[in-house]
Amino acid sequence: MTRKSNRIFSGVQPTNNLHLGNYLGAVRNWVRMQKDYECIFCVVDLHAITLWQEPAALRQNTREVAAAYIASGIDPDASIIFAQSQVSAHAQLAWILNCVARLGWLNRMTQFKEKAGKNRENASVGLYAYPVLMAADILAYKGTHVPVGEDQKQHLELARDIAQKFNHDYKVDFFPLPEPVIGGPATRVMSLRDGAKKMSKSDESDYSRINMTDDADTIALKFRKAKTDPNALPGPESLDERGEVKDEALAARPEAFNLLSIHAALSDASLSETVNRFAGMEFSRFKGELTDLAVAKLGPINSEMKRLLSHPDEIDALLRKGAQRAQTIALPVLRQVEEIVGFLH
Ligand code: TRP
């Protein structure tokens, strides 16, 4: 199959637990991509330390992300799962690409501005160079397709710019320009406490998100406490002729539509089918149905994660093996880059 010549690269930072937003928005789609693409999924620990991480927590979170990948259905034999720091080509290529990328390009990155906040002078140099490392991640494998969320699109654009400038400056046709892959439907999962904010691992309130490590009781409690409004669930009047939620309906009831789209995603239904199905139902009853569905879908993933995490040595061994496989792809690419740049061998 020709699409197998395409190569997917993506990664998640081990900065905290994965949550439902990561699962529905990313990992679940990756699982499906395995049949059409050669896939490399990374736990990007080098990116994680651009903000302070407690060493013990970083180690644990790295294992947790790997366990979540596997428990969600990423096959560590078919795909490559590894930790970024265990393949030195990432850092080495990043340095070379630092010398290709321009300050002006990085100055435009909105995520740096958000993460650095007001005290920009005190941000790490790594936080600033973060998108160049991300470009190195992808280009070290000559990745062609990158599943990313909305928030990473600008970084992927930058990776394309870097690849293009490298090819141009050195007069080679070496790096492919990686393309974004937009994931499946209905997967912008919002906070359970505020339907206008994305579900996020950095939100102070744990009630704002469903973590992939949450057990059935915790999932039930969080959905029960999820913010709603006093009305019954919206119906077909909130949909336009294409079956999409009208902007004004969404703006009026973001929490209701968030819960509906979580239900839709978990049941592999479209949002319009889901809206029609639950039209006029009381929230308390709908939340019960949503909880049952979430527990049925996430429960097995949760228990598999727990099982895997009870054998950290096995996860570590698996990641080491993944790193070796990753290295056999990345190292020859790095060697060729060094040759192109003019480094001695
Ligand atoms: N920056 C990405 C995020 O925070 C993670 C990441 C690092 C990544 N390297 C990558 C994603 C390469 C895709 C490809 O979500």
Side-chain angles (χ1 to χ4, degrees), residues 6-161:
N6 291 328
R7 188 178 275 153
I8 290 263
F9 186 99
S10 201
V12 169
Q13 294 192 54
T15 44
N16 236 318
N17 282 342
L18 287 189
H19 55 69
L20 188 62
N22 302 119
Y23 176 65
L24 292 177
V27 182
R28 191 176 74 136
N29 300 322
W30 299 357
V31 172
R32 296 177 179 157
M33 287 170 186
Q34 294 182 104
K35 54 177 197 328
D36 296 327
Y37 295 91
E38 179 187 351
C39 293
I40 305 174
F41 298 120
C42 188
V43 186
V44 290
D45 51 359
L46 298 176
H47 278 106
I49 62 164
T50 57
L51 300 174
W52 171 253
Q53 304 298 320
E54 286 299 333
L58 179 62
R59 217 168 275 127
Q60 176 63 15
N61 287 334
T62 300
R63 292 183 181 122
E64 263 179 31
V65 173
Y69 284 177
I70 297 166
S72 302
I74 292 173
D75 174 352
D77 294 318
S79 300
I80 298 179
I81 298 177
F82 74 106
Q84 190 184 25
S85 61
Q86 294 188 325
V87 178
S88 58
H90 291 250
Q92 289 171 281
L93 182 59
W95 179 259
I96 296 172
L97 299 183
N98 272 332
C99 301
V100 174
R102 306 287 95 181
L103 275 181
W105 300 356
L106 288 177
N107 285 338
R108 286 197 283 276
M109 296 295 114
T110 55
Q111 192 172 76
F112 173 75
K113 293 177 196 166
E114 279 160 27
K115 286 195 180 176
K118 286 198 190 72
N119 197 358
R120 202 178 289 184
E121 294 289 304
N122 198 37
S124 72
V125 175
L127 187 66
Y128 188 71
Y130 176 117
V132 182
L133 178 60
M134 180 164 158
D137 294 342
I138 301 162
L139 298 177
Y141 302 88
K142 294 191 167 184
T144 58
H145 292 78
V146 183
V148 282
E150 217 36 64
D151 62 325
Q152 296 297 316
K153 271 205 188 142
Q154 194 185 32
H155 290 163
L156 191 60
E157 274 302 315
L158 185 90
R160 290 169 63 89
D161 290 344

Side-chain angles (χ1 to χ4, degrees), residues 234-253:
E237 72 288 346
S238 61
L239 302 171
D240 65 18
E241 57 291 347
R242 285 172 308 154
E244 280 170 32
V245 178
K246 294 179 190 158
D247 289 345
E248 61 278 14
L250 184 63
R253 307 186 66 188

Side-chain angles (χ1 to χ4, degrees), residues 78-328:
S79 300
I80 298 179
I81 298 177
F82 74 106
Q84 190 184 25
S85 61
Q86 294 188 325
V87 178
S88 58
H90 291 250
Q92 289 171 281
L93 182 59
W95 179 259
I96 296 172
L97 299 183
N98 272 332
C99 301
V100 174
R102 306 287 95 181
L103 275 181
W105 300 356
L106 288 177
N107 285 338
R108 286 197 283 276
M109 296 295 114
T110 55
Q111 192 172 76
F112 173 75
K113 293 177 196 166
E114 279 160 27
K115 286 195 180 176
K118 286 198 190 72
N119 197 358
R120 202 178 289 184
E121 294 289 304
N122 198 37
S124 72
V125 175
L127 187 66
Y128 188 71
Y130 176 117
V132 182
L133 178 60
M134 180 164 158
D137 294 342
I138 301 162
L139 298 177
Y141 302 88
K142 294 191 167 184
T144 58
H145 292 78
V146 183
V148 282
E150 217 36 64
D151 62 325
Q152 296 297 316
K153 271 205 188 142
Q154 194 185 32
H155 290 163
L156 191 60
E157 274 302 315
L158 185 90
R160 290 169 63 89
D161 290 344
I162 291 174
Q164 198 158 28
K165 183 164 166 57
F166 180 92
N167 290 345
H168 176 267
D169 289 355
Y170 290 103
K171 300 186 178 53
V172 287
D173 182 17
F174 187 71
F175 288 127
L177 305 187
E179 288 177 30
V181 185
I182 306 307
T187 32
R188 221 173 116 75
V189 180
M190 311 307 281
S191 158
L192 300 182
R193 310 246 79 180
D194 177 355
K197 276 197 342 212
K198 243 180 86 172
M199 186 176 282
S200 159
K201 48 189 170 188
S202 52
D203 196 312
E204 323 81 69
S205 168
D206 201 50
Y207 285 104
S208 70
R209 65 186 158 257
I210 304 285
N211 298 309
M212 288 181 73
T213 46
D214 286 343
D215 58 20
D217 290 344
T218 311
I219 293 175
L221 180 67
K222 286 179 176 177
F223 277 130
R224 209 176 317 124
K225 289 195 170 245
K227 186 175 169 201
T228 48
D229 55 46
N231 302 316
L233 285 166
E237 72 288 346
S238 61
L239 302 171
D240 65 18
E241 57 291 347
R242 285 172 308 154
E244 280 170 32
V245 178
K246 294 179 190 158
D247 289 345
E248 61 278 14
L250 184 63
R253 307 186 66 188
E255 286 83 14
F257 287 104
N258 185 39
L259 295 182
L260 280 162
S261 65
I262 291 173
H263 194 290
L266 285 171
S267 59
D268 281 311
S270 69
L271 183 54
S272 62
E273 281 166 346
T274 309
V275 167
N276 284 315
R277 176 169 164 200
F278 296 107
M281 189 184 267
E282 292 303 319
F283 263 112
S284 54
R285 232 184 100 199
F286 173 69
K287 282 178 163 184
E289 299 225 8
L290 180 57
T291 301
D292 292 347
L293 175 67
V295 167
K297 293 280 174 175
L298 302 176
I301 298 177
N302 176 276
S303 35
E304 178 62 4
M305 266 183 82
K306 289 218 171 89
R307 193 190 66 75
L308 289 164
L309 286 166
S310 65
H311 304 285
D313 296 352
E314 287 174 26
I315 298 183
D316 294 4
L318 208 135
L319 285 173
R320 271 197 304 276
K321 207 172 116 205
Q324 279 166 9
R325 288 170 65 206
Q327 174 114 349
T328 60

